[in-house]
Amino acid sequence: MPRRTATMLASTLMLIALLCAGVFIKVPYSEMSPGPTVNTLGEHDGEPVLQISGRKTYPTSGHLNMTTVRVTSADYNMNLVEAVYGWLAHDNKVVPHDTLYPNGKTEEQSTQENAEEFSQSQESAKVAALKEVGVPVKSWVIVSTVVKDTPAEGRLHAGDVIKAVDGTPVKAYDDVAKLVTRHKAGEKVVFTIVPAKEQAAAEKEKKTATRTEDVTITTAKSDDEGEERAIVGISAGTDHTFPFTIDIKLADVGGPSAGLMFALGIVDKLTPGSLTGGKFVAGTGTIDDAGKVGPIGGIEMKTVGARAKGAQYFLTPEDNCAAAARDVPDGLTLVKVGTIGDAVAALDDIRGGDTAGLPKCTRS
């Protein structure tokens, strides 16, 4: 066999062997790619995404699209060839598996957590939107969850309204942890509460619950390594009463990142005229009750998905701007926002065609 032919054959066999090895070698990585994008002003699976009853609404136009990211499942074992292809692909991103599923989290656990975050983001979107349009919302601090085998188990219950801790009125959910951690482990802390059942009955009758109970709990030491703080074993949250009904209908989506776009959709429906002026605007970002916009993951995938659907502008959380600006899809303008007010102001400029002064994302 001629030397040249033998060399080519050997090289081909080696390449085949490397490819085969790459297929069978598993690597601890997962893949993210652009997911579906849905217009919060439109319909999904045949019904409106936002449904408002008990309050006058106004016609809307254009798009206010929320964006998503697809990820590989927790039990999917990516091979070396797939990882290399993902690294080279422009529209995909390969990340360490633990980034998406930390501490051995299962797909079921991740799905449940995402569903809870999605539900909370909807509530915060409603609150932020109503505050933006000047509609008052009643809010109160509640016991959100009670951890099993902790001092609070059996003493406090999910839905209990926390009025005070050690006699100090509670005004925000994070007040609870601050007041509890003033104690040392083993000390007693007194919660003044309205029991969940009584609160629910009062809400049903459209009354304000007035009867309170004092619950005394002995604190325990946190299980977190290196921490000496006192705990009782609850997480606090916020509940609300809305003056009319706002339903968000969107299945098979999780996480908190659609909060901003839901809030803007609600604002658009509750105010005369069109926020977008008929333009195609997409975006992302968490939102809290005060209207502050927070960062999200997978920003590069979301801008790609938005532009592929026709978006002209992308509302970008200010903390994501630098990452998003590193690779902007052609024809897409990234607009930096820090609050719902920033987003509404930007939409005013977009609607009016005054885009030169928009706060745009830059790499620095």
Side-chain angles (χ1 to χ4, degrees), residues 15 34 45 65 73 82 126 158 185 210 234 244 262 268 295 333 340-341 356:
L15 178 60
D45 289 341
N65 279 45
S73 64
E82 291 170 323
K126 296 173 188 178
T210 56
I234 67 167
F244 48 89
F262 285 144
D268 201 356
T333 299
I340 187 174

Side-chain angles (χ1 to χ4, degrees), residues 253-315:
V253 177
S257 65
L260 171 63
M261 303 312 292
F262 285 144
L264 291 173
I266 295 168
V267 170
D268 201 356
K269 286 179 175 289
L270 292 176
T271 52
S274 167
L275 273 185
T276 68
K279 301 291 195 306
F280 195 136
V281 180
T284 189
T286 65
I287 199 163
D288 64 15
D289 291 359
K292 181 177 173 57
V293 176
I296 50 79
I299 186 67
E300 304 94 329
M301 305 297 98
K302 292 185 175 183
T303 57
V304 169
R307 183 56 187 152
K309 289 295 184 180
Q312 302 158 290
Y313 301 92
F314 193 92
L315 302 178

Side-chain angles (χ1 to χ4, degrees), residues 193-214:
I193 66 165
V194 175
K197 289 183 179 179
E198 188 155 327
Q199 177 65 22
E203 288 181 46
K204 187 175 181 180
E205 297 176 6
K206 300 187 183 301
K207 296 180 180 179
T208 300
T210 56
R211 188 181 72 82
T212 61
E213 296 180 4
D214 285 343

Side-chain angles (χ1 to χ4, degrees), residues 20 26 34 47 52 76 84 112 178 189 195 205 210 227 240 247 266 288 307 328:
C20 289
K26 303 301 180 181
E47 62 180 340
I52 300 174
Y76 178 74
V84 171
Q112 177 62 30
K178 293 175 184 176
V189 59
E205 297 176 6
T210 56
E227 290 201 21
H240 312 279
D247 285 329
I266 295 168
D288 64 15
R307 183 56 187 152
V328 186

